[in-house]
Amino acid sequence: MPASLCGTWDIISNVNLDGYMIALGISPNLRKIALKLKQKKVIEQKGDHYIIKTTSTFRNYTISFRVGQDFEEFTKGLDNRHVKSLVTWEGNKLVCEQTGEKKNRGWAHWIEDDKLHLELYCDGEVCSQVFKKKVNE
Ligand code: VL7
């Protein structure tokens, strides 16, 4: 059983978010705002059901899914696209494939050294984020 992803997590590093946003076709103005944000993740889980909230002072984005069951995702407030998403475990990584207009799009979450790792990828660009667990929640 992989380590639990649950909890409230604060971002501590963010590499190539701009490349990922450019691959998604995000406008220069929105990219500039997004780059300044300190994102948080709030992950809740009951059995195979997950809720992942990405929050910031500017905008929030939430998804809810069951592992192994594909779902329609609308990336509202991000690139505003409709994709078909499927989340599965690949070893210790929770991996999402987002099928749609953009090629090779998805993300992977895993725990390493008590940190939450996230890779967001699209069209050959990879954004690597690391979060540390918020204490006293
Ligand atoms: C979602 C940034 C940049 C557009 C707004 C910036 C608002 C805060 O897909 C994501 O997470 C997965 C895995 O944890 C679960 O949904 C990341 C935010 C990444 C995308 C695009 C900039 C507009 C940022 C919501």
Side-chain angles (χ1 to χ4, degrees), residues 32-94:
K32 196 173 162 189
I33 294 167
L35 286 174
K36 290 184 185 158
L37 300 172
K38 290 287 176 209
Q39 295 181 26
K40 287 179 196 286
K41 291 283 176 191
V42 181
I43 303 183
E44 299 166 21
Q45 173 240 330
K46 221 174 214 179
D48 275 345
H49 182 241
Y50 280 79
I51 300 171
I52 302 183
K53 298 173 188 162
T54 307
T55 68
S56 73
T57 53
F58 172 64
R59 234 169 237 181
N60 302 324
Y61 182 72
T62 300
I63 59 168
S64 166
F65 59 87
R66 277 179 203 284
V67 175
Q69 290 188 8
D70 58 17
F71 61 102
E72 305 294 329
E73 179 177 2
F74 175 53
T75 59
K76 185 177 160 73
L78 304 179
D79 62 318
N80 296 304
R81 283 192 177 87
H82 293 272
V83 292
K84 180 165 270 188
S85 299
L86 175 65
V87 182
T88 56
W89 285 104
E90 291 184 15
N92 66 331
K93 293 189 179 178
L94 192 65

Side-chain angles (χ1 to χ4, degrees), residues 97-114:
E97 277 184 62
Q98 295 172 308
T99 306
E101 180 186 345
K102 289 291 172 182
K103 297 300 155 213
N104 184 36
R105 179 173 185 179
W107 52 259
H109 267 299
W110 69 97
I111 300 285
E112 203 176 302
D113 299 330
D114 294 330

